[in-house]
């Protein structure tokens, strides 16, 4: 039982029960500061994945150093030169030059609630393919490992179903009590290997065999 007056949330009576959870404490450097920059694209870009790719262009990394980005903002631990103009090319039928204005919009310190958003971006980048990540494939907000896929075949009366299962991860970063905690869970993505037309044809063939 917990003592409501005890700020540590540690019970004073009863039998201790060991509990293990899939939460990991993030170690932080005291008195750290992160610089936040906004990126304006010329011409304007709407595809988030494309914007991240333009920022991640190899020749731009020498100006940015270590950084994290969501395609619209850049976070770094060092102050960048201002004004800063980056360029990259994209191919949409023909080669197109894209300019990126990187403008300082503020600083994120240890007590800023925006730090959770930044740490989530950094965590997710570790799962992806960029900058030495794990090389997992992103689907919506989760990441999956197709290299470890499992193919399952189920045979029914009329049809034979084939499914591919990708193992993956769910991550959530939140502030619990006095610490930032990373919650990691397991999730699987199930992919049907046949189309609706394949199912219709299989049912038709099975019906013909029973006549």
């Amino acid at each position: 039982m917990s003592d409501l007056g005890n700020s540590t949330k540690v019970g004073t009576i009863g039998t201790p029960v060991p509990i293990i959870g899939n939460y990991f404490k993030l170690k932080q450097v005291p008195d750290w500061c992160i610089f936040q920059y906004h990126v304006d694209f010329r011409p304007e870009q709407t595809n988030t994945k494309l914007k991240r790719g333009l920022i991640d262009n190899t020749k731009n990394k020498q100006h940015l150093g270590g950084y994290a980005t969501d395609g619209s903002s850049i976070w770094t631990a060092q102050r960048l030169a201002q004004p800063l103009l980056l360029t990259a090319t994209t191919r949409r039928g023909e080669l197109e030059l894209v300019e990126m204005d990187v403008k300082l919009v503020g600083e994120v310190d240890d007590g800023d609630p925006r730090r959770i958003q930044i740490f989530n971006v950094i965590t997710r980048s570790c799962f992806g393919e960029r900058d030495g990540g794990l090389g997992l494939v992103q689907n919506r907000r989760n990441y999956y490992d197709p290299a470890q896929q499992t193919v399952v075949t189920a045979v029914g009366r009329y049809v034979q179903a084939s499914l591919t299962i990708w193992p993956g991860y769910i991550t959530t970063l939140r502030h619990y009590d006095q610490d930032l905690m990373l919650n990691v869970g397991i999730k699987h993505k199930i992919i049907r290997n046949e189309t609706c037309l394949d199912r219709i044809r299989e049912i038709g063939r099975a019906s013909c065999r029973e006549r």
Side-chain angles (χ1 to χ4, degrees):
M1 297 179 61
S2 297
D3 182 2
L4 297 179
N6 191 343
S7 61
T8 62
K9 300 181 181 179
V10 178
T12 58
I13 62 175
T15 303
V17 178
I19 298 176
I20 298 177
N22 52 342
Y23 288 83
F24 304 90
K25 178 180 178 180
L26 296 185
K27 296 182 178 180
Q28 303 180 60
V29 178
D31 301 325
W32 57 266
C33 177
I34 293 179
F35 299 97
Q36 180 174 349
Y37 297 84
H38 178 72
V39 184
D40 288 318
F41 293 84
R42 294 193 306 268
E44 183 178 357
Q45 307 294 319
T46 58
N47 186 298
T48 300
K49 184 176 181 180
L50 176 60
K51 290 195 292 184
R52 286 200 302 260
L54 292 171
I55 294 174
D56 288 341
N57 187 285
T58 303
K59 68 178 182 179
N60 290 332
K61 292 184 178 181
Q62 60 181 333
H63 299 289
L64 299 177
Y67 67 95
T69 180
D70 62 358
S72 298
S73 298
I74 294 176
W75 298 278
T76 71
Q78 60 185 11
R79 185 182 292 271
L80 303 178
Q82 293 285 283
L84 179 58
L85 177 65
L86 305 177
T87 60
T89 55
T90 179
R91 184 176 296 277
R92 294 179 178 175
E94 60 182 20
L95 209 60
E96 180 182 39
L97 178 66
V98 178
E99 295 183 338
M100 294 163 279
D101 282 319
V102 181
K103 300 178 181 178
L104 178 66
V105 295
E107 300 179 5
V108 180
D109 57 25
D110 186 36
D112 197 310
R114 291 176 295 175
R115 65 176 182 162
I116 295 181
Q117 174 193 1
I118 299 171
F119 287 159
N120 270 312
V121 172
I122 295 174
T123 301
R124 293 181 180 279
S125 68
C126 294
F127 284 99
E129 299 178 349
R130 58 185 293 268
D131 295 334
L134 295 177
L136 305 185
V137 175
Q138 183 177 9
N139 181 265
R140 297 186 178 180
R141 294 183 57 85
N142 303 319
Y143 285 85
Y144 301 92
D145 188 0
Q148 302 297 325
Q149 68 180 16
T150 300
V151 179
V152 178
T153 302
V155 180
R157 180 179 179 184
Y158 295 107
V159 296
Q160 174 176 309
S162 178
L163 305 174
T164 297
I165 302 176
W166 286 4
Y169 304 93
I170 303 175
T171 61
T172 304
L173 185 66
R174 291 182 179 177
H175 194 271
Y176 296 94
D177 294 332
Q178 303 301 319
D179 300 308
L180 276 177
M181 305 289 285
L182 175 65
N183 175 233
V184 180
I186 302 297
K187 184 174 183 178
H188 293 80
K189 181 175 178 61
I190 300 177
I191 305 171
R192 302 188 69 96
N193 295 331
E194 70 276 4
T195 64
C196 182
L197 179 59
D198 293 333
R199 294 292 301 276
I200 294 175
R201 288 174 174 171
E202 182 63 26
I203 293 174
R205 288 192 291 265
S207 299
C208 293
R209 289 194 294 267
E210 292 188 353
R211 292 177 182 175

